[in-house]
Amino acid sequence: GPLNETSLPLYFGWFLFSSVQDKVGCTAMDFLKTLDTLEGFKNHIADFTEQPEKEVDLEQYFETKGILHCTTKFCDYGKADGASEYAKNPVVKKCYGSVFELSLTALFVTPRTVGARVCLTDEQLKLWPADTEKESEADVPGSAALPVGSRAHITLGCAKDVEPVQTGLDLLQILTLPTGEVVEEMELGSLRYYGEGRWMLDLREPICAAACFSSFYG
Ligand code: 2AM
């Protein structure tokens, strides 16, 4: 019937439970609050501002972007390559509406975005389009050589005029670089610098985030 032919969503993904959104949002805010006070960060402040004599308030610098989620497939209402194939995949249909536990293993910050890296289980990888990292090669050289699922992330905020699609690209870029030097041992974990304003905090204790696999129409 006509309902079956209705448009595809903007994207499929795992949507964090609201209590978990609060927890993750607070952890991210605490991280940003601490990061911009560290000497190690201030030494590289020019990456974030053209007026390096000024301080940067990272909490103000980034704007939040709606419900916290980890996109699996961006469908663009059917206009994206592979959108209808993804929606028809039996695993996608079977898992639709199911609850998963995502493991957040790192937080990362660049002059464009702030996000959380998601480490997918084998079961979760079945919902991850296998060509994601290969298709990212044009934007981020080296992506195709990374393990499948490397792009999995949650956008926590974007700088002014930056679209959330940038967060996954920023993560991939960090992952293609040699491991950065540890600049600070923070309570949450080791903070590494990757040059050009790119920071990654490997969490000592991954954050376990309950999330529902579903889709967003907007
Ligand atoms: P995000 O997954 O990094 O947050 C709506 O714009 C959602 O789809 C956002 O969550 C966004 O980024 C994601 N998105 C937008 N364009 C995309 C693209 N070309 N590829 C993958 N994800 C995209």
Side-chain angles (χ1 to χ4, degrees):
L3 265 183
N4 276 331
E5 283 143 38
T6 346
S7 59
L8 290 160
L10 182 59
Y11 61 89
F12 285 88
W14 288 286
F15 295 79
L16 270 53
F17 284 18
S18 67
S19 57
V20 182
Q21 292 194 51
D22 294 344
K23 186 177 89 174
V24 174
C26 286
T27 305
M29 280 305 169
D30 285 346
F31 170 52
L32 294 180
K33 214 182 273 179
T34 308
L35 181 60
D36 62 19
T37 64
L38 299 177
E39 277 315 308
F41 180 83
K42 288 184 187 169
N43 290 340
H44 297 286
I45 201 80
D47 297 335
F48 283 81
T49 172
E50 282 162 12
Q51 299 158 288
E53 65 284 358
K54 283 207 181 148
E55 298 208 341
V56 168
D57 181 346
L58 289 178
E59 281 177 283
Q60 304 278 320
Y61 185 91
F62 295 108
E63 295 165 12
T64 52
K65 295 275 176 183
I67 315 171
L68 295 185
H69 66 275
C70 174
T71 304
T72 53
K73 175 68 186 172
F74 180 68
C75 292
D76 200 10
Y77 306 111
K79 281 179 276 180
D81 279 349
S84 65
E85 289 77 3
Y86 184 84
K88 283 183 206 143
N89 181 334
V91 183
V92 169
K93 288 189 170 182
K94 180 176 142 283
C95 292
Y96 199 81
S98 302
V99 176
F100 289 78
E101 297 219 324
L102 299 181
S103 178
L104 282 45
T105 57
L107 301 175
F108 57 94
V109 174
T110 77
R112 299 164 297 278
T113 64
V114 52
R117 183 181 187 188
V118 178
C119 184
L120 300 175
T121 63
D122 288 344
E123 190 200 7
Q124 292 162 357
L125 279 169
K126 291 178 186 157
L127 293 166
W128 188 258
D131 47 10
T132 303
E133 285 72 25
K134 287 197 184 70
E135 285 176 355
S136 309
E137 180 71 24
D139 293 307
V140 182
S143 299
L146 294 171
V148 171
S150 293
R151 184 169 169 158
H153 70 280
I154 295 165
T155 296
L156 299 169
C158 295
K160 198 172 175 297
D161 299 328
V162 173
E163 295 296 328
V165 64
Q166 185 62 44
T167 319
L169 302 177
D170 283 356
L171 172 59
L172 287 171
Q173 197 180 65
I174 290 173
L175 297 179
T176 61
L177 297 170
T179 309
E181 48 153 334
V182 175
V183 172
E184 184 102 3
E185 289 295 345
M186 300 176 73
E187 211 173 292
L188 286 170
S190 309
L191 177 70
R192 293 172 191 274
Y193 181 59
Y194 288 82
E196 297 176 23
R198 297 168 294 205
W199 297 87
M200 181 128 101
L201 174 73
D202 293 309
L203 295 171
R204 233 179 283 287
E205 301 262 345
I207 299 170
C208 180
C212 180
F213 179 68
S214 183
S215 61
F216 181 84
Y217 282 82

